[in-house]
Amino acid sequence: FSPSVGVFCSVIEAYGQSSQPEALDRIAKLFSEMKATCDPGTVNAITYTRVCRAVAQCDHPRSPDVARGLLDELCRRYEANRSKKRGYLLKPNKQIHAAVVGSYLK
């Protein structure tokens, strides 16, 4: 049994709302585990947005840089897959951009 993307995202979002000092590192580990165990087609722009929002909510000095790194990673994946079937599912949306900008405004 392997958790779904939805389960991973729910746990990641819970860490984003916590005040634990290790929350940011735990989010990064969970996201890496998600990408390694879930079907790559299910880790899409919506998934990245959910993780990025959780990172942006963390009260950690590295949060803005980690959020920006997620956006950069998504952009690279989109460019590499945009001509493939269902590549459009990796297109960055305005919500992920808002999460990144918001993380810098904290």
XYZ file of all heavy atoms in Angstrom:
820
model
N 0.838 -1.189 0.000
C 0.000 0.000 0.000
C 0.878 1.245 0.000
O 1.814 1.369 0.778
C -0.902 -0.027 1.242
C -1.683 1.246 1.439
C -2.753 1.550 0.635
C -1.334 2.140 2.424
C -3.463 2.726 0.815
C -2.030 3.314 2.617
C -3.109 3.594 1.818
N 0.543 2.161 -0.872
C 1.266 3.430 -0.944
C 0.248 4.575 -0.865
O -0.796 4.524 -1.524
C 2.036 3.505 -2.260
O 2.690 4.727 -2.375
N 0.527 5.591 -0.087
C -0.416 6.713 0.015
C -0.593 7.418 -1.336
O 0.315 7.450 -2.157
C 0.248 7.657 1.013
C 1.297 6.872 1.696
C 1.693 5.780 0.757
N -1.760 7.987 -1.530
C -2.042 8.723 -2.760
C -1.475 10.135 -2.660
O -1.068 10.598 -1.584
C -3.548 8.797 -2.986
O -4.142 9.614 -1.988
N -1.487 10.826 -3.785
C -1.046 12.220 -3.812
C -1.895 13.057 -2.854
O -1.386 13.916 -2.137
C -1.111 12.775 -5.255
C -0.982 14.282 -5.270
C -0.034 12.145 -6.114
N -3.187 12.777 -2.812
C -4.074 13.521 -1.915
C -3.718 13.353 -0.453
O -3.749 14.310 0.323
N -3.368 12.135 -0.070
C -2.977 11.873 1.313
C -1.672 12.595 1.630
O -1.545 13.255 2.671
C -2.853 10.360 1.575
C -2.221 10.076 2.926
C -4.208 9.690 1.455
N -0.690 12.472 0.728
C 0.577 13.177 0.932
C 0.332 14.675 1.089
O 0.864 15.313 2.003
C 1.529 12.949 -0.241
C 2.403 11.735 -0.110
C 2.218 10.650 -0.943
C 3.435 11.685 0.810
C 3.036 9.524 -0.850
C 4.255 10.576 0.922
C 4.052 9.493 0.085
N -0.478 15.248 0.192
C -0.725 16.699 0.242
C -1.419 17.110 1.532
O -1.103 18.158 2.099
C -1.547 17.134 -0.968
S -0.596 17.259 -2.490
N -2.338 16.296 2.017
C -3.029 16.621 3.262
C -2.054 16.670 4.440
O -2.122 17.576 5.274
C -4.132 15.597 3.543
O -5.146 15.702 2.572
N -1.143 15.711 4.492
C -0.153 15.698 5.577
C 0.798 16.889 5.426
O 1.135 17.567 6.404
C 0.612 14.362 5.601
C 1.743 14.398 6.621
C -0.335 13.208 5.883
N 1.213 17.159 4.194
C 2.105 18.300 3.931
C 1.427 19.603 4.348
O 2.047 20.468 4.973
C 2.526 18.319 2.448
C 3.539 17.192 2.194
C 3.089 19.676 2.042
C 3.841 16.943 0.721
N 0.147 19.749 4.014
C -0.581 20.966 4.388
C -0.703 21.100 5.906
O -0.644 22.207 6.442
C -1.954 20.977 3.720
C -1.860 21.221 2.233
C -3.123 20.895 1.457
O -3.975 20.127 1.944
O -3.248 21.407 0.326
N -0.851 19.983 6.600
C -0.905 20.026 8.068
C 0.429 20.516 8.634
O 0.457 21.322 9.571
C -1.249 18.651 8.626
N 1.534 20.044 8.068
C 2.844 20.538 8.518
C 2.994 22.030 8.224
O 3.616 22.753 8.997
C 3.982 19.759 7.859
C 4.390 18.534 8.627
C 4.045 17.273 8.180
C 5.117 18.641 9.809
C 4.415 16.139 8.890
C 5.487 17.514 10.531
C 5.138 16.266 10.060
O 5.505 15.150 10.761
N 2.440 22.485 7.112
C 2.517 23.904 6.779
C 1.826 24.783 7.795
O 2.213 25.930 7.998
N 0.815 24.253 8.457
C 0.076 25.019 9.454
C 0.640 24.866 10.860
O 0.208 25.553 11.773
C -1.393 24.606 9.440
C -2.079 24.969 8.145
C -3.510 24.480 8.095
O -4.033 23.930 9.049
N -4.162 24.689 6.976
N 1.594 23.953 11.017
C 2.156 23.729 12.347
C 3.239 24.771 12.642
O 3.741 25.442 11.750
C 2.745 22.327 12.454
O 4.010 22.268 11.838
N 3.586 24.854 13.885
C 4.648 25.783 14.277
C 5.931 25.035 14.620
O 6.838 25.599 15.224
C 4.193 26.624 15.472
O 3.873 25.769 16.556
N 6.003 23.774 14.222
C 7.190 22.968 14.510
C 8.379 23.479 13.707
O 8.254 23.755 12.512
C 6.938 21.507 14.174
C 5.849 20.869 14.999
C 5.594 19.431 14.593
O 6.191 18.927 13.668
N 4.678 18.787 15.298
N 9.542 23.608 14.330
C 10.712 24.129 13.622
C 11.179 23.231 12.472
O 11.759 23.714 11.511
C 11.788 24.242 14.698
C 11.271 23.557 15.894
C 9.800 23.354 15.738
N 10.873 21.928 12.552
C 11.305 21.007 11.494
C 10.253 20.824 10.399
O 10.420 19.988 9.504
C 11.679 19.645 12.093
C 10.519 18.826 12.602
C 10.071 19.172 14.019
O 10.640 20.064 14.654
O 9.116 18.551 14.487
N 9.191 21.616 10.427
C 8.096 21.452 9.466
C 8.567 21.594 8.020
O 8.175 20.802 7.156
C 6.979 22.456 9.755
N 9.400 22.570 7.735
C 9.855 22.791 6.364
C 10.659 21.592 5.850
O 10.449 21.139 4.720
C 10.681 24.070 6.272
C 11.045 24.536 4.870
C 9.799 24.843 4.053
C 11.925 25.762 4.938
N 11.535 21.060 6.681
C 12.311 19.888 6.285
C 11.415 18.669 6.108
O 11.611 17.875 5.181
C 13.404 19.582 7.317
C 14.472 20.651 7.354
O 14.733 21.282 6.302
O 15.047 20.873 8.432
N 10.420 18.539 6.959
C 9.500 17.406 6.841
C 8.673 17.517 5.566
O 8.419 16.515 4.896
C 8.595 17.353 8.079
C 7.776 16.123 8.155
C 8.649 14.891 8.409
N 7.803 13.714 8.394
C 8.039 12.636 7.670
N 9.105 12.545 6.934
N 7.213 11.637 7.687
N 8.259 18.708 5.201
C 7.517 18.913 3.950
C 8.382 18.488 2.768
O 7.909 17.801 1.861
C 7.063 20.383 3.814
C 5.938 20.682 4.795
C 6.629 20.698 2.388
C 5.569 22.144 4.904
N 9.639 18.908 2.771
C 10.549 18.558 1.671
C 10.717 17.047 1.559
O 10.696 16.486 0.451
C 11.898 19.236 1.872
N 10.861 16.368 2.697
C 11.015 14.909 2.673
C 9.758 14.221 2.166
O 9.822 13.275 1.372
C 11.384 14.391 4.065
C 12.796 14.724 4.476
C 13.095 14.248 5.880
C 14.466 14.723 6.325
N 14.737 14.438 7.724
N 8.607 14.674 2.629
C 7.345 14.085 2.182
C 7.124 14.306 0.689
O 6.651 13.412 -0.023
C 6.176 14.654 2.981
C 6.030 14.137 4.401
C 5.057 15.001 5.190
C 5.570 12.690 4.388
N 7.474 15.487 0.201
C 7.295 15.764 -1.221
C 8.225 14.892 -2.060
O 7.820 14.366 -3.106
C 7.506 17.244 -1.514
C 7.106 17.647 -2.915
C 5.887 17.277 -3.445
C 7.949 18.403 -3.704
C 5.509 17.646 -4.729
C 7.593 18.777 -4.984
C 6.366 18.391 -5.499
N 9.439 14.696 -1.607
C 10.373 13.809 -2.313
C 9.844 12.377 -2.327
O 9.909 11.692 -3.352
C 11.750 13.833 -1.655
O 12.341 15.082 -1.826
N 9.322 11.948 -1.192
C 8.747 10.604 -1.112
C 7.543 10.473 -2.047
O 7.364 9.460 -2.711
C 8.345 10.308 0.332
C 7.863 8.900 0.554
C 7.493 8.623 2.005
O 7.954 9.342 2.907
O 6.733 7.669 2.227
N 6.712 11.516 -2.096
C 5.553 11.497 -2.979
C 5.986 11.333 -4.433
O 5.439 10.511 -5.170
C 4.743 12.796 -2.836
C 3.532 12.867 -3.753
S 2.799 14.504 -4.025
C 2.810 15.265 -2.452
N 6.977 12.127 -4.846
C 7.435 12.061 -6.244
C 8.050 10.696 -6.569
O 7.956 10.245 -7.697
C 8.432 13.180 -6.530
C 7.798 14.566 -6.510
C 8.756 15.645 -6.935
C 9.819 15.881 -5.907
N 10.715 17.000 -6.254
N 8.642 10.055 -5.573
C 9.279 8.756 -5.793
C 8.274 7.602 -5.811
O 8.517 6.596 -6.489
C 10.328 8.499 -4.714
N 7.163 7.728 -5.087
C 6.245 6.599 -4.956
C 4.948 6.725 -5.748
O 4.342 5.708 -6.062
C 5.876 6.363 -3.475
O 5.255 7.530 -2.947
C 7.103 6.014 -2.659
N 4.532 7.924 -6.071
C 3.259 8.113 -6.786
C 3.480 8.138 -8.292
O 4.564 8.446 -8.770
C 2.589 9.407 -6.327
S 2.051 9.375 -4.619
N 2.426 7.850 -9.020
C 2.456 7.918 -10.477
C 2.828 9.338 -10.888
O 2.199 10.298 -10.438
C 1.077 7.543 -11.012
C 0.941 7.689 -12.508
O 1.973 7.773 -13.211
O -0.204 7.732 -12.989
N 3.869 9.485 -11.733
C 4.306 10.837 -12.126
C 3.190 11.690 -12.720
O 3.195 12.903 -12.581
C 5.409 10.582 -13.151
C 5.883 9.200 -12.876
C 4.697 8.449 -12.329
N 2.215 11.066 -13.354
C 1.114 11.809 -13.944
C 0.192 12.450 -12.921
O -0.561 13.364 -13.243
N 0.259 11.980 -11.687
C -0.609 12.540 -10.653
C 0.065 13.672 -9.884
O -0.600 14.378 -9.133
C -1.053 11.448 -9.655
O 0.095 10.894 -9.021
C -1.840 10.350 -10.346
N 1.368 13.828 -10.058
C 2.089 14.935 -9.417
C 2.129 16.073 -10.435
O 3.038 16.183 -11.243
C 3.501 14.505 -8.962
C 4.214 15.654 -8.264
C 3.424 13.291 -8.052
N 1.083 16.901 -10.411
C 0.895 17.927 -11.436
C 0.958 19.331 -10.833
O 1.378 19.505 -9.699
C -0.438 17.682 -12.157
C -1.602 17.636 -11.182
O -1.605 18.298 -10.162
N -2.601 16.831 -11.502
N 0.530 20.310 -11.597
C 0.607 21.705 -11.143
C -0.233 21.940 -9.889
O 0.164 22.721 -9.014
C 0.164 22.649 -12.260
N -1.356 21.265 -9.775
C -2.189 21.424 -8.579
C -1.447 20.895 -7.353
O -1.460 21.507 -6.289
C -3.551 20.729 -8.762
C -4.338 21.438 -9.865
C -4.338 20.696 -7.463
C -5.577 20.721 -10.325
N -0.774 19.767 -7.527
C 0.014 19.194 -6.431
C 1.110 20.159 -6.004
O 1.294 20.427 -4.812
C 0.637 17.858 -6.871
O -0.388 17.007 -7.381
C 1.358 17.187 -5.732
N 1.857 20.680 -6.984
C 2.927 21.632 -6.674
C 2.365 22.863 -5.976
O 2.982 23.404 -5.059
C 3.660 22.049 -7.950
C 4.788 21.136 -8.330
C 4.562 19.984 -9.075
C 6.102 21.415 -7.965
C 5.594 19.138 -9.445
C 7.151 20.578 -8.329
C 6.894 19.444 -9.070
O 7.919 18.618 -9.418
N 1.198 23.311 -6.387
C 0.587 24.487 -5.765
C 0.243 24.207 -4.309
O 0.498 25.044 -3.430
C -0.667 24.915 -6.549
O -0.285 25.222 -7.892
C -1.336 26.121 -5.916
N -0.319 23.037 -4.040
C -0.668 22.687 -2.655
C 0.582 22.640 -1.776
O 0.583 23.150 -0.650
C -1.407 21.351 -2.618
C -2.805 21.431 -3.204
C -3.501 20.101 -3.170
N -3.866 19.732 -1.789
C -4.472 18.590 -1.490
N -4.781 17.717 -2.433
N -4.775 18.318 -0.228
N 1.650 22.041 -2.298
C 2.893 21.950 -1.527
C 3.497 23.340 -1.349
O 3.960 23.700 -0.256
C 3.884 20.982 -2.210
C 5.228 20.990 -1.500
C 3.308 19.566 -2.251
N 3.470 24.135 -2.392
C 4.039 25.481 -2.326
C 3.288 26.343 -1.316
O 3.896 27.099 -0.559
C 4.009 26.106 -3.715
S 4.978 27.614 -3.841
N 1.977 26.227 -1.268
C 1.192 26.973 -0.278
C 1.568 26.551 1.142
O 1.670 27.393 2.039
C -0.298 26.745 -0.499
C -0.886 27.544 -1.625
C -2.362 27.295 -1.699
N -2.972 28.013 -2.795
C -4.135 27.687 -3.327
N -4.813 26.649 -2.856
N -4.629 28.385 -4.314
N 1.757 25.256 1.345
C 2.150 24.768 2.670
C 3.514 25.328 3.061
O 3.716 25.756 4.197
C 2.169 23.241 2.683
N 4.437 25.332 2.110
C 5.775 25.884 2.373
C 5.667 27.369 2.704
O 6.304 27.858 3.637
C 6.706 25.658 1.157
C 7.961 26.497 1.253
C 7.053 24.182 1.027
N 4.847 28.086 1.950
C 4.697 29.527 2.163
C 4.104 29.834 3.534
O 4.394 30.886 4.116
C 3.835 30.131 1.060
N 3.297 28.934 4.073
C 2.685 29.149 5.386
C 3.661 28.915 6.532
O 3.428 29.391 7.639
C 1.487 28.220 5.568
C 0.287 28.605 4.746
C -0.863 27.627 4.924
O -0.675 26.498 5.357
N -2.060 28.074 4.589
N 4.707 28.150 6.278
C 5.683 27.851 7.344
C 6.343 29.134 7.820
O 6.678 30.004 7.025
C 6.779 26.923 6.827
S 6.288 25.224 6.707
N 6.524 29.205 9.097
C 7.221 30.353 9.664
C 8.703 29.994 9.768
O 9.207 29.700 10.844
C 6.635 30.694 11.036
C 7.187 31.979 11.590
O 7.673 32.808 10.786
O 7.142 32.161 12.819
N 9.348 29.994 8.623
C 10.758 29.614 8.551
C 11.465 30.574 7.603
O 10.923 30.921 6.557
C 10.885 28.178 8.047
C 12.227 27.585 8.273
N 13.308 27.884 7.483
C 12.656 26.697 9.196
C 14.350 27.213 7.909
N 13.988 26.483 8.953
N 12.667 31.006 7.919
C 13.360 31.974 7.056
C 13.649 31.448 5.642
O 13.782 32.244 4.719
C 14.668 32.276 7.785
C 14.641 31.555 9.068
C 13.415 30.724 9.141
N 13.720 30.131 5.476
C 14.002 29.559 4.150
C 12.745 29.346 3.311
O 12.834 28.962 2.138
C 14.732 28.217 4.302
C 16.157 28.327 4.723
C 16.931 27.001 4.646
N 16.188 25.834 4.217
C 15.928 24.766 4.992
N 16.342 24.725 6.234
N 15.247 23.749 4.505
N 11.577 29.568 3.876
C 10.319 29.300 3.172
C 10.225 29.966 1.795
O 9.859 29.311 0.822
C 9.119 29.701 4.023
O 8.980 28.831 5.109
N 10.536 31.256 1.669
C 10.435 31.879 0.343
C 11.338 31.218 -0.700
O 10.922 31.010 -1.848
C 10.855 33.329 0.588
C 10.588 33.562 2.030
C 10.860 32.251 2.699
N 12.550 30.869 -0.308
C 13.467 30.250 -1.269
C 13.019 28.843 -1.656
O 13.148 28.439 -2.816
C 14.887 30.209 -0.700
C 15.472 31.600 -0.504
O 15.086 32.518 -1.270
O 16.289 31.772 0.407
N 12.481 28.115 -0.697
C 11.989 26.772 -0.992
C 10.760 26.859 -1.906
O 10.625 26.092 -2.864
C 11.675 26.002 0.309
C 10.989 24.673 0.018
C 12.952 25.773 1.114
N 9.870 27.811 -1.627
C 8.686 27.999 -2.471
C 9.102 28.354 -3.901
O 8.560 27.818 -4.874
C 7.783 29.086 -1.885
N 10.071 29.246 -4.031
C 10.566 29.620 -5.361
C 11.195 28.415 -6.060
O 11.034 28.217 -7.263
C 11.577 30.761 -5.240
C 12.249 31.163 -6.541
C 11.208 31.610 -7.573
N 11.781 31.704 -8.885
C 12.250 32.811 -9.419
N 12.217 33.941 -8.750
N 12.750 32.799 -10.633
N 11.907 27.585 -5.304
C 12.498 26.376 -5.869
C 11.449 25.422 -6.410
O 11.652 24.789 -7.465
N 10.320 25.320 -5.725
C 9.231 24.473 -6.212
C 8.665 25.012 -7.523
O 8.388 24.249 -8.452
C 8.126 24.375 -5.161
C 8.451 23.543 -3.928
C 7.400 23.775 -2.846
C 8.542 22.074 -4.290
N 8.481 26.326 -7.588
C 8.001 26.931 -8.828
C 8.994 26.698 -9.963
O 8.597 26.338 -11.076
C 7.750 28.427 -8.637
C 7.338 29.211 -9.886
C 6.061 28.651 -10.507
C 7.185 30.683 -9.548
N 10.271 26.869 -9.693
C 11.292 26.638 -10.718
C 11.278 25.190 -11.199
O 11.385 24.919 -12.402
C 12.682 26.992 -10.189
C 12.869 28.481 -9.975
O 12.060 29.278 -10.491
O 13.832 28.856 -9.267
N 11.143 24.260 -10.256
C 11.088 22.840 -10.610
C 9.884 22.541 -11.490
O 9.982 21.814 -12.482
C 11.039 21.994 -9.341
C 10.987 20.509 -9.587
C 10.925 19.716 -8.292
O 11.556 20.126 -7.290
O 10.247 18.675 -8.290
N 8.737 23.106 -11.133
C 7.528 22.910 -11.924
C 7.708 23.481 -13.331
O 7.324 22.848 -14.320
C 6.318 23.548 -11.239
C 4.992 23.469 -11.993
C 4.579 22.020 -12.247
C 3.910 24.210 -11.228
N 8.311 24.655 -13.430
C 8.545 25.269 -14.747
C 9.459 24.395 -15.604
O 9.215 24.223 -16.807
C 9.138 26.665 -14.588
S 7.974 27.885 -13.954
N 10.501 23.833 -15.000
C 11.396 22.931 -15.747
C 10.654 21.689 -16.228
O 10.821 21.260 -17.369
C 12.594 22.532 -14.885
C 13.639 23.621 -14.720
C 14.920 23.086 -14.086
N 14.709 22.515 -12.768
C 14.697 23.211 -11.638
N 14.896 24.528 -11.662
N 14.501 22.623 -10.472
N 9.823 21.124 -15.347
C 9.048 19.934 -15.741
C 8.064 20.273 -16.857
O 7.864 19.491 -17.776
C 8.310 19.358 -14.538
C 9.208 18.607 -13.587
C 8.436 17.808 -12.568
N 7.630 16.787 -13.212
C 6.535 16.252 -12.681
N 6.128 16.616 -11.491
N 5.839 15.335 -13.324
N 7.450 21.446 -16.769
C 6.505 21.852 -17.814
C 7.212 22.015 -19.151
O 6.740 21.521 -20.176
C 5.801 23.156 -17.416
C 4.902 23.694 -18.501
C 3.785 22.983 -18.907
C 5.187 24.898 -19.126
C 2.965 23.472 -19.913
C 4.367 25.401 -20.128
C 3.255 24.672 -20.517
O 2.446 25.152 -21.524
N 8.348 22.692 -19.155
C 9.095 22.883 -20.404
C 9.531 21.555 -21.013
O 9.513 21.378 -22.227
C 10.316 23.782 -20.176
C 9.966 25.240 -19.991
C 9.221 25.836 -21.172
O 9.588 25.560 -22.339
O 8.251 26.570 -20.935
N 9.916 20.606 -20.174
C 10.372 19.309 -20.665
C 9.222 18.439 -21.175
O 9.453 17.543 -21.990
C 11.113 18.561 -19.555
N 8.008 18.713 -20.735
C 6.873 17.846 -21.067
C 5.735 18.533 -21.802
O 4.741 17.888 -22.101
C 6.307 17.232 -19.777
C 7.257 16.284 -19.137
O 7.470 15.188 -19.623
N 7.865 16.704 -18.026
N 5.862 19.807 -22.114
C 4.724 20.545 -22.662
C 4.241 20.018 -24.003
O 3.060 20.126 -24.325
C 5.026 22.027 -22.737
C 6.072 22.406 -23.765
C 6.552 23.805 -23.644
N 5.578 24.741 -24.162
C 5.702 26.040 -24.148
N 6.785 26.580 -23.626
N 4.801 26.822 -24.643
N 5.108 19.426 -24.804
C 4.675 18.906 -26.100
C 4.142 17.478 -25.999
O 3.618 16.949 -26.976
C 5.841 18.941 -27.091
O 6.893 18.103 -26.644
N 4.249 16.870 -24.828
C 3.762 15.505 -24.639
C 2.293 15.503 -24.266
O 1.738 16.507 -23.812
C 4.571 14.806 -23.540
C 6.032 14.631 -23.897
C 6.784 13.986 -22.763
C 8.256 13.898 -23.127
N 9.060 13.404 -22.009
N 1.685 14.338 -24.451
C 0.296 14.188 -24.065
C 0.158 14.489 -22.576
O 0.941 14.012 -21.768
C -0.155 12.758 -24.355
C -1.607 12.495 -24.100
C -1.958 11.074 -24.464
C -3.432 10.831 -24.214
N -3.814 9.465 -24.537
N -0.805 15.301 -22.226
C -1.098 15.699 -20.848
C -0.014 16.574 -20.220
O -0.002 16.795 -19.021
C -1.378 14.470 -19.994
C -2.581 13.667 -20.498
C -2.830 12.452 -19.655
N -3.146 12.830 -18.298
C -4.348 12.745 -17.724
N -5.340 12.271 -18.412
N -4.533 13.103 -16.487
N 0.915 17.087 -21.029
C 1.936 17.993 -20.519
C 1.355 19.276 -19.961
O 1.949 19.918 -19.100
N 0.176 19.633 -20.466
C -0.487 20.854 -20.000
C -0.820 20.794 -18.506
O -1.007 21.820 -17.857
C -1.770 21.118 -20.796
C -2.836 20.071 -20.591
C -3.802 20.223 -19.608
C -2.886 18.917 -21.378
C -4.779 19.275 -19.400
C -3.851 17.957 -21.178
C -4.803 18.138 -20.195
O -5.758 17.179 -19.999
N -0.859 19.585 -17.936
C -1.163 19.443 -16.509
C -0.043 19.975 -15.614
O -0.219 20.116 -14.416
C -1.442 17.978 -16.159
C -2.711 17.394 -16.784
C -2.789 15.905 -16.512
C -3.950 18.105 -16.263
N 1.112 20.247 -16.210
C 2.237 20.781 -15.453
C 2.397 22.296 -15.613
O 3.330 22.874 -15.077
C 3.538 20.084 -15.881
C 3.629 18.609 -15.521
C 4.807 17.969 -16.237
C 3.744 18.433 -14.026
N 1.492 22.912 -16.357
C 1.602 24.347 -16.578
C 1.382 25.108 -15.270
O 0.354 24.951 -14.611
C 0.575 24.806 -17.609
C 0.719 26.260 -17.983
C -0.236 26.638 -19.090
C -0.021 28.092 -19.468
N -0.929 28.493 -20.548
N 2.360 25.921 -14.866
C 2.203 26.692 -13.625
C 0.965 27.587 -13.678
O 0.655 28.172 -14.716
C 3.486 27.529 -13.565
C 4.460 26.775 -14.384
C 3.656 26.139 -15.491
N 0.258 27.666 -12.571
C -0.964 28.472 -12.516
C -0.736 29.720 -11.652
O 0.295 29.864 -11.008
C -2.125 27.620 -11.974
C -1.792 26.962 -10.651
O -1.173 27.571 -9.783
N -2.188 25.718 -10.498
N -1.707 30.597 -11.664
C -1.533 31.852 -10.925
C -1.513 31.630 -9.419
O -0.917 32.417 -8.686
C -2.598 32.868 -11.320
C -4.012 32.464 -11.047
C -4.985 33.510 -11.586
C -6.406 32.989 -11.511
N -7.333 33.900 -12.152
N -2.110 30.536 -8.940
C -2.111 30.276 -7.507
C -0.709 29.970 -6.976
O -0.356 30.402 -5.880
C -3.054 29.115 -7.170
C -4.517 29.460 -7.332
C -5.020 29.293 -8.775
O -4.293 28.853 -9.656
N -6.267 29.647 -8.992
N 0.086 29.243 -7.755
C 1.442 28.941 -7.289
C 2.293 30.212 -7.298
O 3.100 30.431 -6.403
C 2.104 27.783 -8.069
C 3.355 27.295 -7.309
C 2.445 28.168 -9.490
C 3.924 25.997 -7.816
N 2.078 31.060 -8.297
C 2.803 32.334 -8.328
C 2.414 33.194 -7.116
O 3.277 33.817 -6.489
C 2.531 33.086 -9.629
C 3.163 32.469 -10.822
N 4.488 32.646 -11.147
C 2.660 31.653 -11.780
C 4.769 31.990 -12.245
N 3.676 31.372 -12.642
N 1.131 33.213 -6.790
C 0.662 33.986 -5.634
C 1.256 33.442 -4.337
O 1.624 34.219 -3.442
C -0.863 33.971 -5.568
N 1.376 32.124 -4.232
C 1.954 31.526 -3.028
C 3.421 31.923 -2.875
O 3.877 32.253 -1.778
C 1.815 30.007 -3.066
N 4.149 31.920 -3.982
C 5.569 32.299 -3.924
C 5.709 33.761 -3.530
O 6.477 34.107 -2.629
C 6.275 31.999 -5.271
C 7.691 32.580 -5.277
C 6.324 30.509 -5.538
N 4.966 34.627 -4.186
C 5.035 36.057 -3.860
C 4.627 36.276 -2.396
O 5.284 37.033 -1.667
C 4.153 36.882 -4.819
C 4.018 38.319 -4.337
C 4.714 36.841 -6.227
N 3.565 35.619 -1.967
C 3.108 35.761 -0.590
C 4.145 35.319 0.426
O 4.243 35.903 1.508
N 4.919 34.303 0.065
C 5.945 33.832 1.002
C 7.027 34.888 1.229
O 7.600 34.969 2.307
C 6.566 32.521 0.515
O 7.386 32.726 -0.623
N 7.283 35.704 0.215
C 8.279 36.775 0.366
C 7.732 37.967 1.150
O 8.489 38.765 1.689
C 8.774 37.260 -0.996
C 9.779 36.339 -1.630
C 9.405 35.467 -2.633
C 11.106 36.325 -1.212
C 10.339 34.611 -3.224
C 12.032 35.479 -1.785
C 11.640 34.620 -2.790
O 12.547 33.778 -3.363
N 6.424 38.090 1.232
C 5.809 39.232 1.908
C 5.603 39.015 3.389
O 5.161 39.939 4.087
C 4.457 39.554 1.251
C 4.523 39.967 -0.226
C 3.120 40.155 -0.771
C 5.342 41.233 -0.385
N 5.896 37.841 3.890
C 5.707 37.548 5.322
C 6.670 38.318 6.179
O 7.766 38.556 5.902
C 5.880 36.065 5.582
C 4.689 35.264 5.102
C 4.941 33.817 5.348
C 4.089 33.392 6.514
N 4.236 32.004 6.842
